[in-house]
Each structure stands twice: as structure tokens, then as C-alpha cells.
Amino acid sequence: VTDAAGAAGLPLVPTAARVMITSRDFGEYLAMFGLEPERLRGARVLDCPGGASDFTAAVWEHGGRAVAADPAYRSPPAALARLVLADLADGARHVPAAAAGYDFSWTGGREAYLRRRAAAARRFLADYAGSPGRYVAACLPSLPFRGQVFSLALVPNLLFTYAHLYGPAWHRAAIAELARVACEVRIHPVTDAGGRVYRELAPLRRELAAGGIATRLVEAGYRLHPGRQWTLVCRPATAGR
Ligand SMILES: C[S@@+](CC[C@H](N)C(=O)[O-])C[C@H]1O[C@@H](n2cnc3c(N)ncnc32)[C@H](O)[C@@H]1O
């Protein structure tokens, strides 16, 4: 599915503002995006940003075809493993400080959740080394894929979350690009790093609608964070029904 333009000349994410490479697992993705495993059978799915999630590996096991895209995939396996394991340790160290933002009862407690993250990272690293064709170096708002080659694009924990790094124009361009390559785009969460609904969400949705991308908010069954959780579902008018 990679375009002839390839992934050359990718803009770098500034090091000082580097986004953590996290490893939410397949089960978390299903909850965040309101998906049943059956929906993935035969589907062509894009996970962007894939980070160190085991989602792509799991989709293949469930009879679907997934590709993950992330600027971190410019790194060869050994270098990426060092980054992923460092971010995993860093994340675990910061959990006590961030505990108020989490409801670990959803996942059997804090230690169980950290074990899930570590297991997903290990599974990702094995798949990244063993099936490199599934992992494409790419940086939003530009993707090296042909139009509507994916039936579904999942966008976990980048848009809105990092609103302090990426502005409204970037968000608009990123969603338009995702809607170019996929018939449906699901984005989770719709909150910023402080847990507040993204301030520009309403004008953004109006602009997307004017550009032919219909959006709706659906409540997610994901309860890792206290309060109601929402997923933004986007469908370009050009997508087949
Ligand atoms: C918080 S992690 C999310 C990973 C995984 N989806 C999860 O939920 O655990 C954010 C990821 O976004 C990637 N990233 C940062 N800027 C990006 C961009 N402009 N386009 C695509 N991915 C980006 C980072 O490399 C990092 O792996």
C-alpha cells in the first residue's frame, strides 16, 4: 500500500518535544474504538500512530491486514527497542504522579496495567523485527499511501492529546490526510493532556464538514481515565458505503 513517493524526507518531530512511544495493547484498542474482533476479519486497517502497540500484530492473527505508521519506525529494530524500553520505564516511573488521571480498576490494578503495557511492547518489538513490511515510517499530516486503501484508520493518543505541540491547522490537515487514505477514521481520545475536551473541537468539526468529512462523537467503553470517554468517527463523503 506504500505510495511511490515513499517515506523519504519525513519531517522530524523536534527532539525537545518528542512524543512518548507508548504500547497500549489490542484489548485497549478494542475498547477505545468500540470494535469487536470480528469487525477486523478481512479488514484493511491503518494504526497511526502505531507506537509500540501490539495492535497490528494482533489484527493479522485475527484474520485482518493491518499496517502501522509512525515516525519512530525510521529506527532499525535494536535502536527502536532501546527507545521503547526507555519510554516504558519512564512511563512506569511517572504513573504514581499521574495516578489521579487513571482508574486502574478497569484493568485489574496498576501493576496489572503496567504488565499489559510491557507485554504489548515485547510483542510489538518481535513483530517489528520479524514482519518489517507491516511498519511504515510516516509523519502526519502526510501519509505515503494511496487513496482509500484502508477500510478503517485508527488514531490512538496523538491528535488532541498533544494539542500543546500541534496546532489547529495541523489537526485539520492530519484528519483530511487520514480521510484520504481510509474510508473511516476513528480518533481517541478527544481530550488534551489535561483531560479537557479539545478546545477547538467544534470549529474543527465544522471545517471538516465543509470539506466533505462528516464527523460524530461516540461514547467509548474505555474506562482507564475517569469520566466519560469519547471517540471521534470521521467519514469522507467519497467513501463507499
Ligand atoms: C502516545 S504514543 C501512542 C502509541 C500507541 N498508539 C498507543 O496508544 O499506545 C504517540 C506516538 O505518536 C508518534 N508521533 C508523534 N508525532 C507524530 C506525527 N506527526 N505523525 C504520526 N505519529 C506521530 C510518536 O512517535 C509516538 O509513537
Side-chain angles (χ1 to χ4, degrees):
V1 291
T2 305
D3 197 330
L10 295 171
L12 284 164
V13 177
T15 314
R18 194 171 75 76
V19 176
M20 224 175 189
I21 306 170
T22 55
S23 54
R24 290 176 184 79
D25 69 13
F26 181 65
E28 286 192 80
Y29 271 56
L30 296 183
M32 286 187 286
F33 295 108
L35 291 169
E36 297 296 330
E38 294 68 48
R39 164 84 199 264
L40 300 170
R41 199 163 298 130
R44 270 203 96 108
V45 190
L46 172 66
D47 176 15
C48 179
S53 172
D54 66 358
F55 177 78
T56 286
V59 170
W60 284 90
E61 284 174 16
H62 281 82
R65 289 171 295 167
V67 170
D70 195 301
Y73 303 156
R74 281 178 294 220
S75 297
L80 186 57
R82 282 193 293 277
L83 284 176
V84 166
L85 297 177
D87 278 359
L88 195 63
D90 222 31
R93 261 197 306 278
H94 285 99
V95 161
Y102 288 85
D103 174 4
F104 290 111
S105 64
W106 180 81
T107 182
R110 193 175 79 189
E111 297 313 313
Y113 182 64
L114 292 176
R115 280 197 297 276
R116 270 177 82 157
R117 285 266 187 120
R122 280 195 301 274
R123 196 173 179 205
F124 159 77
L125 289 171
D127 202 50
Y128 185 73
S131 304
R134 299 175 182 175
Y135 298 91
V136 175
C139 195
L140 285 168
S142 172
L143 294 171
F145 305 114
R146 294 193 302 271
Q148 292 191 346
V149 72
F150 299 104
S151 46
L152 180 64
L154 302 180
V155 189
N157 302 296
L158 176 66
L159 269 65
F160 313 131
T161 309
Y162 290 93
H164 52 292
L165 298 182
Y166 293 120
W170 180 88
H171 278 79
R172 239 184 353 264
I175 295 174
E177 178 69 343
L178 287 154
R180 180 185 69 76
V181 303
C183 300
E184 182 175 307
V185 179
R186 297 189 188 190
I187 306 169
H188 184 94
V190 299
T191 44
D192 62 20
R196 291 170 297 266
V197 170
Y198 177 56
R199 232 179 38 187
E200 305 293 330
L201 190 60
L204 173 65
R205 292 181 67 193
R206 280 196 296 274
E207 283 171 14
L208 291 171
I213 299 172
T215 62
R216 67 195 161 89
L217 282 168
V218 297
E219 192 169 356
Y222 188 54
R223 289 287 174 265
L224 185 63
H225 302 284
R228 299 177 84 185
Q229 297 287 308
W230 301 94
T231 295
L232 185 69
V233 179
C234 312
R235 281 191 71 93
T238 48
R241 295 277 146 189

